[in-house]
Amino acid sequence: MMAHIPWETVTWAVVAVALATALYCVLGRKVGAQGVRQPPRPAAPKAAAALQRAPLQPPPLPGKMENAEKPTQYVVAPEARSLLSQVSAAVPGFTSEGFLHQVNTLFREVLSAYVRGDKNFLAAHLTPAVMASFTQAMDRVAREGLKLHATIRRIERIALNRVTLLPDTEDPAAMMCRLTVAITSWQLSYVTDASGTVVEGTEALTEFHDLWDLTHMPGAEGASVWRLSGTATT
């Protein structure tokens, strides 16, 4: 007599084998693909990525940033601006912008000439009264064996603060113009004796506030110039 065959068990066994075969095929392919796949590169830090993209630049030279001079700020006070048209009428070609840039140049040149003791340059750009004051100071320096040191590191601001219109003493029908400017600068300014010892001022960078009066006057060979007619330190 034939033994009873448990068909239900056989059926489930066949199903299990079929599922196992299918899972092996699917999972086997995935594992194999992962085995040959290259591992992902780690993301480079932002700084390193930036260095890879941009060419390397040489470092700044020593002292280059310290010596770089920032632009000067030029300002015209409202009370002075209202009189500029009269200045333009008295001084052909006058502009406030051009005048302030001229003051910038003149300030540097006058200080340099004073340190050098260049009386010829100063006499051409100062009124007689201011020239006498400068001469007295320069003679004292020479007499006492002193040495002036002055270096402008930066002219921070030049402001045209006041306009004064005066009758011309030689031509009553004409007007003379005197402009007052405030100059803010950073300087190394000091005086040393014969041994090199600092006797006035300081070797440290110092902020200076100067008031200059400049008067428009006839110059050499009939040329009109702005002459330094007054100085003060605030």
Side-chain angles (χ1 to χ4, degrees):
M1 182 175 180
M2 185 177 295
H4 176 72
I5 299 176
W7 293 108
E8 184 177 355
T9 302
V10 172
T11 301
W12 283 111
V14 171
V15 171
V17 170
L19 288 175
T21 303
L23 287 173
Y24 173 81
C25 293
V26 174
L27 294 178
R29 289 192 183 98
K30 280 190 175 183
V31 171
Q34 289 175 351
V36 298
R37 185 179 301 162
Q38 296 294 330
R41 285 187 176 184
K46 293 183 178 180
L51 289 175
Q52 292 176 0
R53 291 193 301 270
L56 294 177
Q57 299 294 331
L61 296 176
K64 184 176 181 181
M65 297 304 296
E66 295 179 1
N67 295 331
E69 185 171 336
K70 297 180 181 179
T72 302
Q73 180 185 9
Y74 297 104
V75 179
V76 179
E79 55 270 25
R81 188 178 298 278
S82 62
L83 296 173
L84 291 183
S85 59
Q86 298 183 53
V87 177
S88 299
V91 181
F94 172 85
T95 64
S96 58
E97 180 180 1
F99 171 78
L100 291 173
H101 280 82
Q102 186 176 353
V103 171
N104 190 321
T105 301
L106 186 61
F107 185 78
R108 298 173 187 272
E109 292 178 343
V110 166
L111 183 61
S112 177
Y114 175 63
V115 171
R116 298 193 312 269
D118 189 346
K119 294 182 180 180
N120 290 331
F121 178 89
L122 294 174
H125 294 83
L126 278 57
T127 61
V130 176
M131 182 63 197
S133 177
F134 273 54
T135 299
Q136 182 179 4
M138 288 185 291
D139 289 346
R140 176 226 165 192
V141 168
R143 184 173 60 252
E144 298 182 8
L146 303 176
K147 184 177 181 180
L148 301 175
H149 304 263
T151 302
I152 297 175
R153 285 295 179 85
R154 180 190 176 199
I155 296 180
E156 182 176 305
R157 188 175 188 267
I158 302 178
L160 174 54
N161 288 346
R162 186 167 61 251
V163 174
T164 305
L165 301 174
L166 304 170
D168 192 331
T169 55
E170 297 183 1
D171 184 3
M175 298 294 292
M176 292 182 62
C177 301
R178 185 173 68 221
L179 307 185
T180 301
V181 295
I183 305 170
T184 302
S185 64
W186 290 87
Q187 303 178 30
L188 300 174
S189 180
Y190 55 97
V191 181
T192 56
D193 60 16
S195 66
T197 302
V198 177
V199 294
E200 292 182 19
T202 173
E203 293 179 287
L205 188 62
T206 306
E207 183 178 12
F208 285 84
H209 298 269
D210 293 280
L211 286 177
W212 271 24
D213 286 334
L214 293 112
T215 302
H216 191 259
M217 303 175 64
E221 300 179 356
S224 297
V225 296
W226 289 100
R227 290 179 181 263
L228 180 59
S229 56
T231 64
T233 301
T234 59

